[in-house]
């Protein structure tokens, strides 16, 4: 059991969090002391793809860094704490992962987090634009449907926006879809792949069960219930934790999976595909999640929506209005920043 944890890689078909290639990438985790940040940092420390791990938060980071630095893997860990050390944390980073922000509590939607998390993400994006503008930026902080437009608009203000390098991490939706489909069909979840498109909140989460591999079919009522469970899975965890937080461990796994895919592609691995919420021309929304072919410089090709079932077409139509509103809310936030 431990051997699988000790030397992980990621490919879509065989999804242990491992990779055989070596690299010396410098990866920053902004929000490294939080419920997602700590397990995410642990998974990144465990990867041979990471040469330097730069951990930033407003509190407790030196302790987290000291703890992780005792692990017998090659990544060198440094902790940075407080606004005065943010610039230093970002110098020379190749990838920046941002789980920072407040978590949901029972009764809250992801959008309820907007005011607090929008300010946090805008501040961090500003620092990225000034210190490592060419880094791959992976945003976990919710509401992702708005925080990606926020990040993009801040980068534009500095003239350093590259849409191929700014990602909203929706991977947890794919991870959940894979797990739930595998559970219902008695399959090995490591061999299931369900694309999930749209956004990362409620009805904007659109699992494409018709495009799943291996091919699976469900009666209409079961398909509807499965889709609803995937869309509401975050709330399922928030309720189960009863005020003690939101999805942190599964999100850390999903964030690590996406980061490893980005690093693998930067390292020259071919055929790396992940879904993510990005600047897009695939629908009438400026930002939309679809499967992406990743390369050395970020998005190599947007693979689009593919062939949708009638049920999935209706889900897309139902999501557009909410997505447009969330995108505008993020853009307006940056336009009105002092």
């Amino acid at each position: 059991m431990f051997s699988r944890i000790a030397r992980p890689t990621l490919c879509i078909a065989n999804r242990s969090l491992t990779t055989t290639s070596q690299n010396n990438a410098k990866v920053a985790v902004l929000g490294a002391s939080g419920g997602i940040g700590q397990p995410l940092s642990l998974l990144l420390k465990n990867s041979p793809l990471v040469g330097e791990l730069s951990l930033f938060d407003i509190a407790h980071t030196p302790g987290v860094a000291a703890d992780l630095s005792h692990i017998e893997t090659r990544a060198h860990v440094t902790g940075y704490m407080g606004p005065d050390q943010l610039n230093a944390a970002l110098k020379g980073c190749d990838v920046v992962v941002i789980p920072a922000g407040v978590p949901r509590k029972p009764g809250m939607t992801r959008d309820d987090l907007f005011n607090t998390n929008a300010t946090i993400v805008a501040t961090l994006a500003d620092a990225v634009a000034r210190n490592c503008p060419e880094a791959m930026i992976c945003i976990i902080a919710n509401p992702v449907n708005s925080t990606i437009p926020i990040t993009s608009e801040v980068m534009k203000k500095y003239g350093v926006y590259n849409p191929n390098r700014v990602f909203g991490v929706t991977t947890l939706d794919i991870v959940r879809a894979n797990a739930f489909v595998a559970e219902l069909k008695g399959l090995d979840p490591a061999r299931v792949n369900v694309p999930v498109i749209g956004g990362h909140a409620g009805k904007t989460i659109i699992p494409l069960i018709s495009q799943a591999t291996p091919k699976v079919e469900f009666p209409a009522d079961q398909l509807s219930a499965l889709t609803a469970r995937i869309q509401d899975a975050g709330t399922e965890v928030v309720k189960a934790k009863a005020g003690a937080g939101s999805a942190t461990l599964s999100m850390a796994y999903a964030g690590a999976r996406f980061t490893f895919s980005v690093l693998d592609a930067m390292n020259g691995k071919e055929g790396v595909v992940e879904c993510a919420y990005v600047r897009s021309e695939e629908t009438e929304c400026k930002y939309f999640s679809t499967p992406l072919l990743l390369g050395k410089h970020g998005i190599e090709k947007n693979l689009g929506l593919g062939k949708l079932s009638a049920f999935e077409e209706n889900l897309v139509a139902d999501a557009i209005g909410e997505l447009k509103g969330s995108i505008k809310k993020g853009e307006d936030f940056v336009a009105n920043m002092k």
Side-chain angles (χ1 to χ4, degrees), residues 13 92 101 110 125 153 187 190 192 218 225 229 259 271 273 308:
R110 288 181 179 90
E153 292 304 308
L187 299 169
V192 175
F218 296 96
R229 188 183 177 204
T259 305
V273 175
L308 305 182

Side-chain angles (χ1 to χ4, degrees), residues 12-264:
I12 293 292
N14 177 15
R15 230 169 352 252
S16 58
L17 280 185
T18 44
T19 178
T20 50
S21 51
Q22 295 250 335
N23 201 355
N24 289 306
K26 183 173 183 180
V27 179
V29 179
L30 308 184
S33 299
I36 298 168
Q38 288 200 44
L40 172 60
S41 298
L42 172 62
L43 290 168
L44 295 175
K45 171 71 172 106
N46 199 40
S47 171
L49 287 173
V50 180
E52 282 188 72
L53 192 53
S54 180
L55 306 182
F56 172 83
D57 214 320
I58 56 172
H60 310 305
T61 344
V64 175
D67 197 355
L68 288 176
S69 72
H70 293 182
I71 293 172
E72 55 181 355
T73 53
R74 61 193 291 270
H76 180 264
V77 185
T78 310
Y80 300 87
M81 187 171 73
D84 293 347
Q85 295 186 11
L86 177 56
N87 291 337
L90 289 168
K91 288 287 185 220
C93 285
D94 302 298
V95 178
V96 179
V97 190
I98 306 184
V102 296
R104 281 202 291 163
K105 293 185 170 59
M108 292 177 74
T109 66
R110 288 181 179 90
D111 208 47
D112 290 335
L113 305 173
F114 182 86
N115 288 333
T116 301
N117 286 0
T119 303
I120 292 169
V121 170
T123 301
L124 297 176
D126 185 280
V128 172
R130 289 183 287 102
N131 291 286
C132 52
E134 295 188 2
M136 305 292 178
I137 307 172
C138 308
I139 305 287
I140 292 171
N142 276 312
V144 166
N145 291 356
S146 298
T147 54
I148 285 299
I150 287 170
T151 302
S152 301
E153 292 304 308
V154 170
M155 300 297 281
K156 286 177 190 176
K157 284 191 169 186
Y158 284 91
V160 295
Y161 176 55
N162 183 342
N164 293 328
R165 292 174 179 260
V166 180
F167 303 93
V169 180
T170 62
T171 315
L172 183 51
D173 299 324
I174 291 88
V175 166
R176 286 167 166 158
N178 294 344
F180 299 166
V181 166
E183 184 182 352
L184 288 171
K185 292 295 187 182
L187 299 169
D188 176 358
R191 305 207 171 274
V192 175
N193 186 41
V194 181
V196 180
I197 64 170
H200 184 57
K203 70 179 184 181
T204 70
I205 298 168
I206 304 164
L208 302 184
I209 307 297
S210 72
Q211 294 182 25
T213 51
K215 186 169 177 54
V216 292
E217 291 184 356
F218 296 96
D221 58 341
Q222 195 177 19
L223 176 62
S224 182
L226 171 61
T227 299
R229 188 183 177 204
I230 294 165
Q231 291 175 330
D232 297 333
T235 302
E236 186 179 311
V237 176
V238 169
K239 286 179 179 175
K241 288 194 173 183
S246 57
T248 52
L249 301 174
S250 53
M251 184 63 248
Y253 167 87
R257 169 181 153 166
F258 185 79
T259 305
F260 296 152
S261 288
V262 168
L263 289 169
D264 268 336

